[in-house]
């Protein structure tokens, strides 16, 4: 009675085996073969099939390989390799399972040109050839984001986008706090935070990312602590500075979405002009007393801030320089509406608030929506973004000097 090793040896004598080097050279056409296809483009003409189990395939596999676990070979191989006259190369971890599968395909299923790769993916990797590592969540991530995975609009694909997203928060105050906490919880991969302030007792009425034991600490550091307590995987990029014309382009570069929680005129115009130039969408909110407003300024998809307010008001007409009163919960409401818009922009779910201005009046408990359109005469977004010069960008009256002068 032959043992298992004997059977495999006998089968290997009856099938064709190919070395990974040959597979790499002939199938993936290293360095641009006759067809000039780079290895990363996947197998060319030949069908490459991974016959390992699901978890092994998910870990890594040959570029472009199809997956048919050996246990499902008979029932599924025709979907992966419908043409029985075409060349099929099978591989597994070390070359045994694929040899058995090749034998089955050749002798029982009528495939004419089947081969098994010697040494499997192990030898392939030892030779230093590329493998695809598919996007997949770890077991911990699957558990953490399980409620997202259950909504079809987010699902695995949306969660992967969130994990890959870079979102910049301007301000770690009333609006920035709830946004930071919830976006961290939602799994946004990178959160940049711009804030030059330190935590003050008067902040704690609404700025929930901070705490009594962090009074006096820079807000970027305090927010980072709060974010990490919720989700240690989030990368926090801190900018303990004021956003101004000298640093804005450098800071916002590379972010997918910007969230404006700063709520002051100079920054708003500067940000608008820079975001139009870089085509980065801005989720903007402002709050005062019991009133909040919210919109998404997505350059060239909808209006920009200057389509609504072409030029900044003169300093003497700008809102008062001192602290304004606000219901402590209000930035929570508006900030979380901003966080929802960020998630929609990143995942592509739903209809973002582009071209619409949402007004919330807390005392009357009313939401009002206003349509806002792009202004064909807009001083900024009516033009080619490349033509907006540094000198023109964010030109506004010096509110800070005005406020300082008025005491
Ligand atoms: Zn505009």
């Amino acid at each position: 009675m032959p043992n298992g090793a004997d059977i495999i040896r006998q089968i290997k004598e009856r099938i064709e085996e190919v070395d990974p080097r040959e597979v790499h050279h002939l199938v993936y056409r290293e360095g641009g073969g006759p067809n000039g296809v780079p290895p990363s483009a996947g197998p060319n003409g030949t069908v490459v099939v991974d016959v390992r189990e699901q978890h092994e395939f998910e870990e890594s596999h040959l570029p472009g390989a199809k997956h048919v676990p050996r246990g499902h070979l008979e029932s599924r191989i025709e979907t992966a390799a419908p043409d029985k006259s075409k060349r099929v190369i099978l591989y597994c971890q070390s070359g045994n399972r694929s040899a058995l599968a090749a034998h089955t395909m050749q002798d029982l299923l009528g495939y004419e040109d089947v081969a098994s790769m010697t040494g499997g993916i192990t030898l392939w990797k030892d030779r230093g050839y590329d493998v695809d590592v598919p996007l997949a969540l770890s077991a911990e991530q699957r558990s953490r984001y399980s409620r997202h995975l259950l909504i079809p609009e987010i699902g695995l694909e949306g969660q992967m986008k969130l994990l890959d997203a870079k979102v910049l928060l301007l301000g770690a105050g009333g609006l920035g706090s709830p946004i930071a906490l919830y976006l961290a919880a939602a799994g946004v991969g990178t959160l940049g935070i711009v804030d030059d302030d330190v935590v003050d007792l008067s902040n704690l009425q609404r700025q929930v990312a901070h705490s009594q034991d962090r009074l006096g600490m820079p807000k970027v550091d305090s927010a980072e602590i709060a974010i990490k307590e919720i989700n240690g995987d989030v990368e926090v990029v801190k900018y303990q500075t004021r956003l101004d014309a000298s640093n804005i382009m450098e800071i916002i570069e590379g972010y997918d979405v910007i969230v404006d929680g700063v709520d002051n005129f100079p920054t708003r115009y500067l940000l608008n002009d820079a975001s139009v130039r870089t085509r980065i969408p801005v989720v903007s909110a402002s709050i005062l007393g019991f009133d909040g407003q919210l919109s998404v300024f997505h350059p060239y998809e909808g209006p920009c801030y200057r389509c609504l307010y072409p030029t900044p008001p003169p300093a003497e007409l700008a809102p008062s320089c001192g602290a304004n009163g606000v219901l402590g919960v209000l930035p929570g409401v508006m900030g979380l509406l901003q966080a929802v818009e960020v998630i929609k922009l990143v995942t592509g779910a739903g209809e973002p608030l582009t071209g619409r201005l949402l007004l919330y009046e807390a005392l009357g408990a009313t939401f009002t929506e206003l349509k806002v359109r792009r202004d064909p005469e807009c001083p900024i977004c009516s033009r080619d973004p490349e033509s907006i010069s540094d000198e023109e960008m964010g030109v506004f009256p010096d509110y800070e000097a005005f406020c300082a002068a008025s005491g």
Side-chain angles (χ1 to χ4, degrees):
M1 193 76 184
N3 62 23
D6 291 335
I7 291 172
I8 289 172
R9 203 175 308 119
Q10 286 166 15
I11 280 175
K12 283 185 176 176
E13 282 165 12
R14 297 176 51 185
I15 58 151
E16 184 196 346
E17 288 192 289
V18 283
D19 188 88
R21 184 181 294 113
E22 204 179 318
V23 175
H24 190 253
H25 180 68
L26 292 176
V27 180
Y28 291 90
R29 305 197 192 285
E30 185 181 19
N35 296 337
V37 180
S40 60
N44 189 11
T46 304
V47 180
V48 176
V49 180
D50 187 319
V51 299
R52 297 174 302 159
E53 300 301 314
Q54 184 71 27
H55 68 274
E56 298 177 283
F57 182 78
E58 278 177 5
E59 221 169 80
S60 68
H61 52 253
L62 265 60
K66 309 225 170 161
H67 181 221
V68 181
R70 192 184 157 230
H72 297 282
L73 188 71
E74 291 84 351
S75 58
R76 296 190 191 163
I77 190 65
E78 286 185 31
T79 313
D83 187 345
K84 294 191 176 184
S85 66
K86 268 204 167 166
R87 180 132 172 103
V88 180
I89 292 173
L90 307 178
Y91 74 92
C92 58
Q93 198 66 31
S94 62
N96 287 343
R97 281 175 286 173
S98 59
L100 296 169
H103 176 246
T104 304
M105 284 177 67
Q106 183 180 288
D107 282 21
L108 298 177
L109 301 173
Y111 279 83
E112 294 164 22
D113 191 6
V114 190
S116 166
M117 188 172 83
T118 28
I121 194 171
T122 307
L123 185 57
W124 174 272
K125 285 185 190 168
D126 287 349
R127 297 265 168 84
Y129 302 140
D130 282 349
V131 291
D132 272 0
V133 180
L135 296 173
L137 298 176
S138 66
E140 198 230 293
Q141 287 172 319
R142 270 200 295 275
S143 170
R144 178 186 283 272
Y145 304 119
S146 60
R147 297 308 188 273
H148 270 169
L149 301 180
L150 290 169
I151 354 176
E153 289 82 355
I154 306 288
L156 176 64
E157 198 183 329
Q159 191 62 53
M160 300 305 306
K161 287 179 181 169
L162 288 169
L163 289 166
D164 203 33
K166 296 181 76 180
V167 176
L168 182 66
L169 308 182
L170 303 186
L175 292 163
S177 285
I179 298 166
L181 299 184
Y182 270 89
L183 289 184
V188 167
T190 303
L191 287 173
I193 306 175
V194 186
D195 200 306
D196 70 338
D197 212 356
V198 296
V199 180
D200 181 80
L201 187 58
S202 68
N203 299 149
L204 300 185
Q205 169 246 22
R206 62 200 176 285
Q207 301 185 13
V208 295
H210 312 302
S211 62
Q212 296 182 72
D213 60 354
R214 300 205 284 268
L215 294 175
M217 184 186 285
K219 285 186 182 176
V220 288
D221 294 336
S222 171
E224 181 183 34
I225 292 170
I227 287 168
K228 292 284 187 188
E229 276 173 1
I230 293 172
N231 190 344
D233 289 345
V234 177
E235 190 186 335
V236 179
V237 183
K238 300 182 283 184
Y239 306 91
Q240 198 188 339
T241 182
R242 274 186 96 80
L243 203 63
D244 61 32
S246 74
N247 62 20
I248 187 163
M249 295 305 284
E250 195 182 326
I251 289 176
I252 71 174
E253 197 196 339
Y255 283 96
D256 302 309
V257 183
I258 301 170
V259 190
D260 180 12
V262 173
D263 203 11
N264 71 59
F265 276 101
T267 307
R268 186 145 290 170
Y269 281 93
L270 180 68
L271 172 64
N272 181 69
D273 300 356
S275 66
V276 169
R277 213 159 75 153
T278 50
R279 297 174 179 264
I280 304 173
V282 176
V283 181
S284 175
S286 61
I287 48 171
L288 188 65
F290 291 90
D291 299 335
Q293 52 174 271
L294 176 77
S295 195
V296 171
F297 298 107
H298 198 162
Y300 303 100
E301 305 264 318
C304 77
Y305 189 72
R306 285 201 197 242
C307 291
L308 277 68
Y309 309 105
T311 50
E316 58 275 17
L317 293 181
S320 65
C321 305
N324 293 310
V326 65
L327 180 71
V329 178
L330 192 74
V333 175
M334 301 311 292
L336 292 187
L337 288 172
Q338 286 179 284
V340 173
E341 292 306 309
V342 170
I343 289 174
K344 284 160 61 184
L345 286 169
V346 169
T347 61
E351 288 294 318
L353 203 60
T354 310
R356 293 181 287 156
L357 189 64
L358 188 68
L359 310 176
Y360 172 56
E361 202 270 296
L363 284 180
T366 57
F367 282 96
T368 311
E369 189 185 300
L370 303 176
K371 286 256 178 295
V372 285
R373 292 197 169 76
R374 276 185 75 186
D375 177 2
E377 304 291 305
C378 172
I380 294 296
C381 81
S382 65
R383 301 157 55 188
D384 175 1
E386 305 300 321
S387 74
I388 303 165
S389 69
D390 286 345
E391 289 69 33
E392 283 177 285
M393 200 177 62
V395 176
F396 43 76
D398 191 345
Y399 298 94
E400 281 170 59
F402 175 80
C403 286
S406 66

